[in-house]
């Protein structure tokens, strides 16, 4: 958290800690860089979750979804906006 490392993953589940401040790992530049990287080499990140779901959809693996959950003020709206923006970029 103190290094702005706010993402961790357990299998397909991405866990995000709200830093309550802008962090570089959520910048448009970082998303653009991660959108072009090899999907298998990506660290736990919202971009990886979006790209994995999109790749499954394109591959015909059936409907895909992202569940964004948390308490009030946990960052759900910001995460959703970032996910939809990234989905628009990769599609």
């Amino acid at each position: 958290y103190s290094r702005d490392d706010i993402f961790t993953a357990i299998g397909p589940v991405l866990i995000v800690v709200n830093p309550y401040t802008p962090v570089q790992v959520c910048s448009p530049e970082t998303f653009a860089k991660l959108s072009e990287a090899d999907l298998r080499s990506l660290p736990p990140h919202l971009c990886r979750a979006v790209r994995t779901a999109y790749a499954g959809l394109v591959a015909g693996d059936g409907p895909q979804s992202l569940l964004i959950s948390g308490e009030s003020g946990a960052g759900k709206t910001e995460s959703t906006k970032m996910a939809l923006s990234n989905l628009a970029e990769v599609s």
Side-chain angles (χ1 to χ4, degrees), residues 30-89:
T30 300
F31 271 88
K33 183 176 112 184
L34 293 175
S35 293
E36 297 171 3
D38 177 26
L39 183 57
R40 294 168 295 197
S41 70
L42 292 178
H45 196 279
L46 184 58
C47 183
R48 182 176 83 175
V50 169
R51 288 189 52 205
T52 300
Y54 184 71
L57 183 66
V58 170
D61 293 341
Q64 304 291 309
S65 63
L66 294 175
L67 174 63
I68 299 174
S69 171
E71 295 181 357
S72 177
K76 297 177 301 292
T77 300
E78 290 303 313
S79 292
T80 301
K81 289 191 295 188
M82 286 187 286
L84 290 174
S85 176
N86 190 245
L87 180 61
E89 283 184 33

Side-chain angles (χ1 to χ4, degrees), residues 11-26:
V13 177
L14 178 67
I15 299 171
V16 184
V17 176
N18 187 345
Y20 296 101
T21 185
V23 291
Q24 186 61 33
V25 296
C26 294

Side-chain angles (χ1 to χ4, degrees), residues 1-8 15-17 19 23 25 43-44:
Y1 181 83
S2 63
R3 297 176 308 196
D4 292 340
D5 191 11
I6 62 171
F7 300 104
T8 191
I15 299 171
V16 184
V17 176
V23 291
V25 296

